[in-house]
């Protein structure tokens, strides 16, 4: 399945034999965007309007664990969306196996708001917060692993833009392996010290607020599609 | 309604008389992707955060039927999405009847997470699991039938790319008829032996993990759209 | 606001003065498709998994009002989606007022599954079904009225393709006015006889299963975008 | 990060150094549209079908606070969608920081239906309506602030179309700063008089029913993309 297309020729529907029909990434991105958007927005409906005791504002403030859960999910899903937006510039096409790996990754994206909510609702409870933190740390590690699988499948099946500088692609490989490795260690560590494990998982996640390295090409970089017009 | 367009001429808005306005498939795919994405992601909100007894982690693990229901729905919906992504490369245009058949198919996609959840929640219960398996097997058969209807309507109304090799299209016809037929038999069999019926239905479903045959064209294959750029 | 663009010249961002920035319809359609898809798929999560008495299959069958509500919503929303897909071939551009009118229409689309569910849940109850039918008939009339407003705003603000045959556009005008008028009469009639009112409303709705008239152009019809590639 | 692209040259993937991969705005808009659509449509599932006492229609009318909450959310989200549709004509590209600022803005869009629902459910209750109004006014101010942040990040990172007239862009700057400032003042005022605060917040919101100023370019305006075809 290493039928690398020639970068100087147009890619055709039948370029990747044994990988279904080669297509541009537009539809894979549209499906992913919709899953991201739903996973991002759904947690709000789990917030229940308070009955309204003497002081409604105080009760609305007491909902802070719900707001926190929504914020954690927004940060995690938002950062993965930005990463997926970026990686959409790295792929030229998609095929059957990359589609299936994308589905696997999106299964984790659709799920991640749940452990975020569990953690936010238990963080103030000394009895349960260690369990909730471990559950969140494990979920973050599984999500990173599903990203790494997707990335690796895309690399192996030849859908990454062959005009990119190989050294640049190797730096991306290393970055994703390293992030996943550290998140798996953080998940394991959380069973010894949930504070330490979660702190490391949070640090890796927040690291992705930094912009990814601008792509390096072997020749002139491709022009941006559409240009917002 | 067999007004086959000439493959060498551009298809125009009025090419398919009595079939509404001919359009490219982009918007049909966008609508389908959104339905796929919602059906895929929604089941997670049905998972309830446990109250938190003595051991929260144990309670989170006891939610395994919810995770299983989400996974079954993800696999079924994800495989149909990959199939729909592939078939988007087979159609050139869409019209009114193919749109309506797509809506019928999407009605089943939007529903399928429900029998998956019913099955997962009852699989450990010896009293109810046969019923739940039959319900799931019948739902899988109906979903396959709605796919076959959609495919057949697209074929009959002339929206499939006429540049494709007819032998290739006949192989697709056969594959979809066969899958649907076996799933209907599996649904019937599940009332005699739910294990046998469900095993066959699962086998047909998992068969679609294999990549579909790469399209064969009578002439040079069309270039891939966009190329992720 | 009747600054009709010249059909032989490209439409520019500033073509429609006092109507925001003129843009192609792609993004309006993407937003509409997402609302259609959510309204279409959401009703399923309102279906509750039965607790499981002696006979689970019988209980799953007793959920028929939920299935019926989902089906009614699917038919209504699916037919409006097909109509919107068609009308997307009629507009060339969109502007601020057409966007706002689209939002109004989508507000009704997002709502219509609720009266469908109310009706389905009460249809077997002799005490309440008249009320539920009236509620559904009024909602269908309001949805049709919001469609007519959207269509009229698009016509008046110059976003309809000026290459279309004016007689063809007048036939569409007449069709939408007539449908809306009959649905309003049906809603009024439902307060005298809910059976008669609802039957007429259903007849108008089901009429839209028929394909809309293929567009007629003054010159050669525009080529189909994308062609599914 | 002020690497302004030359308006006469194509923008390339590596044009904006230290800002990830430059891409057209299509995917950012698709993600935003999906979040808008979900936030817009979700509130309907929070409406519960009445049990059905003696008079079902009367009970359906007693649900007016739910309808009002849905309407308020539709107006606010619909107007922001129209504004975002418009501003999509102002940006040419997007990068990492503008993506993150968009995620921040969408976090508020995904949330805003909740305070709308709280307000609608309490507006008839003399004890709680002041609190609910303050909560809504503060949420509207935060949403406007997140919009302003997104706009400012887009301006500073060079993604706004450089062919636009600078005076026109300054008028947009002023408009967004002014709206946000007044909404923050309205939120503060709502703690003195909830009626006055909410009236001003409503006036600012409803002001956006007016079309935004049609873009002014230094040279000929760009042609509209797609033209609905």
């Amino acid at each position: 399945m290493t039928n690398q297309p020639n970068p100087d020729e147009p890619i055709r529907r039948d370029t990747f034999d044994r990988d279904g029909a080669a297509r541009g990434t537009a539809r894979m991105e549209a499906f992913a965007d919709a899953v991201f958007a739903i996973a991002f927005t759904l947690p709000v409906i789990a917030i229940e309007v308070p009955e309204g005791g003497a002081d409604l504002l105080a009760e609305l403030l007491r909902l802070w664990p719900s707001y926190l859960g929504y914020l954690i999910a927004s940060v995690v899903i938002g950062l993965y969306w930005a990463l997926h937006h970026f990686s959409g510039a790295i792929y030229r096409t998609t095929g059957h196996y990359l589609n299936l790996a994308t589905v696997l990754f999106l299964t984790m994206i659709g799920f991640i708001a749940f452990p975020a909510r569990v953690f936010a609702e238990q963080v103030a409870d000394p009895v349960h917060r260690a369990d909730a933190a471990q559950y969140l740390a494990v979920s973050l590690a599984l999500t990173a692993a599903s990203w790494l699988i997707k990335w690796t499948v895309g690399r192996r099946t030849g859908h990454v833009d062959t005009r990119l500088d190989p050294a640049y692609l190797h730096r991306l490989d290393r970055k994703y392996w390293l992030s996943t490795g550290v998140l798996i260690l953080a998940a394991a560590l959380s069973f010894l010290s949930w504070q330490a494990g979660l702190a490391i998982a949070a640090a890796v996640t927040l690291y992705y607020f930094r912009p990814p390295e601008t792509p390096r090409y072997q020749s002139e970089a491709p022009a941006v599609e559409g240009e917002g017009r």
Side-chain angles (χ1 to χ4, degrees), chain A:
Chain A
M1 214 157 42
T2 44
N3 32 16
Q4 285 286 353
N6 182 335
D8 298 327
E9 284 186 13
I11 302 178
R12 300 194 175 278
R13 280 275 164 80
D14 54 2
T15 293
F16 298 96
D17 204 19
R18 300 175 191 229
D19 196 18
R23 297 188 68 184
T25 58
R27 209 189 146 188
M28 179 190 74
E29 297 197 75
F31 176 57
D33 282 346
V35 172
F36 276 113
I38 298 156
F40 185 90
T41 319
L42 267 187
V44 169
I45 61 159
I47 308 179
E48 282 180 37
V49 178
E51 284 299 304
D55 185 349
L56 181 65
L57 267 192
E59 288 188 44
L60 287 165
L61 290 176
R62 266 200 291 278
L63 291 176
W64 67 263
S66 297
Y67 306 150
L68 179 63
Y70 179 53
L71 275 181
I72 295 173
S74 290
V75 167
V76 173
I77 297 170
L79 287 172
Y80 269 109
W81 175 75
L83 188 61
H84 200 258
H85 185 277
F86 165 78
S87 83
I90 304 298
Y91 295 113
R92 261 181 108 171
T93 49
T94 185
H96 187 68
Y97 289 108
L98 180 53
N99 285 343
L100 294 188
T102 298
V103 167
L104 176 69
F105 165 64
L106 293 174
T107 299
M108 285 310 304
I109 288 295
F111 182 69
I112 197 72
F114 181 70
R117 187 147 61 97
V118 169
F119 175 70
E121 288 188 8
Q122 307 291 349
V123 69
D125 178 347
V127 179
H128 296 122
R129 67 184 155 200
D131 285 8
Q134 289 150 12
Y135 189 65
L136 178 57
V138 169
S139 301
L140 289 171
L142 287 174
T143 308
S146 71
W147 171 269
L148 183 61
I149 290 169
K150 182 179 83 62
W151 170 253
T152 306
V153 168
R155 285 277 269 156
R156 295 271 168 87
T157 49
H159 292 293
V160 164
D161 195 335
T162 46
R163 295 164 298 187
L164 284 160
D165 179 358
Y168 169 76
L169 289 171
H170 283 129
R171 286 196 295 275
L172 287 183
D173 282 342
R174 203 178 51 197
K175 179 176 171 179
Y176 298 149
W177 275 100
L178 195 64
S179 300
T180 305
V182 174
L183 281 170
I184 289 171
L185 288 177
L189 180 61
S190 74
F191 288 89
L192 299 177
S193 158
W194 69 266
Q195 293 95 332
L198 202 64
I200 293 173
V204 174
T205 303
L206 297 178
Y207 170 79
Y208 281 86
F209 269 106
R210 295 193 52 222
E213 187 191 0
T214 300
R216 311 289 166 202
Y217 291 86
Q218 296 173 284
S219 51
E220 192 178 43
V224 159
E225 81 280 15
E227 296 193 351
R229 253 166 323 132

